[in-house]
Amino acid sequence: MLDAIPIKCVLLGESAVGKSSLINRFIHGTFKQEFLPTIAGCYSSKEVFYEKEKMKLRYQIWDTAGQEKYRSINKIFYQDAIITILVYDITQKDSFEAIKDYWYSEIRENAPKEAIVVIVGNKSDLYEHEEVNDDEVKEYCKSINALHKQTSAQTGEGIQDLFDTIGSKILTPENIEAFNKMKEENNLNRLKNDKINIRAFSNTSENENVSNKKKNKCC
């Protein structure tokens, strides 16, 4: 079996939309009620084995700060990101508008143009207070060729589906062949310089390395 393939992933969005909680649920399977804003960026990782493809991905995840004072720093986290997850709070219309008005243009200017874009509506457990029209989000995602998912970091709903969907977009037959070739060439740690058909990553719809760093203790 192929060694775990490193995949850089960055989460962006306004403060308090639940980026850190989403990551904590994915990594540890837990949820903390208290809110502590992320300072600059926090790193964590998790390996996921995909049974169908018999391959393992190591998600190298950067959680970025949503506060405006950190926005100039955030740009360093976008570099070489294969996955960009833009998170909004379904109970806060302004958090989705910020994705359209700011965050999406940020990744288009600073992240690789082939990166997978996923727009995630978090706090789906609070659907009674939803302010963001789901059809509007789907239409926007269609217009920018992005995936759309809803999650609840509190209950865990949708988290596994989010990363299952991302994995299926990465582990296409063409990319699996490329990954195997990279193994033969002993070059897995230089994904950005290999000839992966990464354009396939961005051809998504709803119907469809970071060097090793010590994990930061953060929210």
Side-chain angles (χ1 to χ4, degrees):
M1 185 179 69
L2 183 65
D3 293 336
I5 301 163
I7 301 295
K8 183 176 180 179
C9 173
V10 60
L11 275 76
L12 307 102
E14 295 296 281
S15 182
V17 297
K19 300 184 297 297
S20 300
S21 296
L22 193 157
I23 294 170
N24 193 59
R25 174 64 75 173
F26 175 59
I27 300 292
H28 304 293
T30 58
F31 176 80
K32 297 179 180 180
Q33 286 286 354
E34 64 271 20
F35 168 67
L36 295 174
T38 300
I39 306 300
C42 294
Y43 173 79
S44 56
S45 68
K46 181 177 181 177
E47 293 187 358
V48 178
F49 177 69
Y50 292 90
E51 180 67 33
K52 180 181 178 181
E53 295 83 5
K54 305 298 181 186
M55 301 191 80
K56 186 187 295 184
L57 300 180
R58 184 190 308 118
Y59 290 104
Q60 301 176 316
I61 305 173
W62 283 99
D63 177 16
T64 63
Q67 303 99 305
E68 188 171 353
K69 63 182 178 179
Y70 294 116
R71 288 184 175 181
S72 61
I73 301 174
N74 283 342
K75 299 178 189 297
I76 67 174
F77 300 116
Y78 310 157
Q79 186 177 10
D80 304 328
I82 293 177
I83 305 160
T84 57
I85 301 178
L86 309 180
V87 185
Y88 68 94
D89 178 348
I90 70 165
T91 71
Q92 297 292 333
K93 176 72 171 179
D94 289 348
S95 66
F96 175 62
E97 294 299 324
I99 287 178
K100 296 193 296 181
D101 296 340
Y102 178 77
W103 294 109
Y104 179 67
S105 62
E106 272 290 283
I107 62 169
R108 284 283 68 98
E109 292 175 10
N110 299 285
K113 64 179 180 179
E114 305 90 349
I116 295 173
V117 179
V118 191
I119 295 181
V120 174
N122 192 37
K123 307 185 183 181
S124 62
D125 54 296
L126 301 177
Y127 62 90
E128 302 99 332
H129 307 288
E130 186 172 11
E131 292 184 357
V132 185
N133 184 286
D134 200 47
D135 290 335
E136 178 186 351
V137 181
K138 289 179 180 179
E139 187 65 28
Y140 176 67
C141 290
K142 183 178 179 180
S143 72
I144 63 172
N145 202 24
L147 288 168
H148 173 232
K149 295 292 180 181
Q150 283 204 356
T151 62
S152 169
Q154 180 163 3
T155 68
E157 181 183 5
I159 305 293
Q160 189 61 51
D161 177 56
L162 169 62
F163 284 92
D164 284 347
T165 300
I166 290 172
S168 71
K169 300 307 174 185
I170 294 173
L171 294 174
T172 63
E174 294 84 0
N175 289 327
I176 289 174
E177 182 179 355
F179 290 140
N180 283 319
K181 182 178 180 181
M182 284 191 292
K183 180 184 178 183
E184 294 172 3
E185 297 172 351
N186 192 28
N187 198 28
L188 278 176
N189 64 333
R190 298 186 60 81
L191 286 178
K192 65 178 180 179
N193 293 325
D194 285 280
K195 297 179 180 179
I196 303 173
N197 182 23
I198 198 170
R199 286 176 297 177
F201 291 177
S202 61
N203 295 330
T204 57
S205 66
E206 179 59 19
N207 296 325
E208 302 270 84
N209 130 30
V210 170
S211 59
N212 291 328
K213 294 181 180 287
K214 183 177 180 181
K215 181 179 177 182
N216 292 325
K217 294 183 179 180
C218 68
C219 55

